Amino acid sequence: MKKVKITFAIGLQLAMIASIGSFVKWSYMKEVLIVGVFFILLSIILYIVEMSKD
């Protein structure tokens, strides 16, 4: 479960950075958002794998 929480937290942080960065017109925020969504999807997949082990 620890891996799931860590990957979800990384995804949320990257999504927050991307939303703030796009508001203040930083560059490369679209890529940061894509990576954040990837980490959130990865955490969902890891969560499903952890639940199927039991």
Side-chain angles (χ1 to χ4, degrees):
M1 270 324 257
K2 194 171 185 179
K3 287 186 227 174
V4 176
K5 291 178 184 176
I6 290 172
T7 53
F8 190 70
I10 291 172
L12 282 179
Q13 289 292 323
L14 287 173
M16 192 181 300
I17 290 169
S19 65
I20 293 170
S22 67
F23 181 72
V24 295
K25 303 284 191 275
W26 289 343
S27 56
Y28 303 112
M29 285 304 113
K30 193 172 195 175
E31 289 82 359
V32 173
L33 186 62
I34 290 170
V35 173
V37 169
F38 169 75
F39 270 102
I40 291 173
L41 292 175
L42 182 65
S43 69
I44 292 170
I45 292 168
L46 285 173
Y47 179 76
I48 292 170
V49 169
E50 288 286 326
M51 289 298 114
S52 66
K53 283 182 181 177
D54 294 338

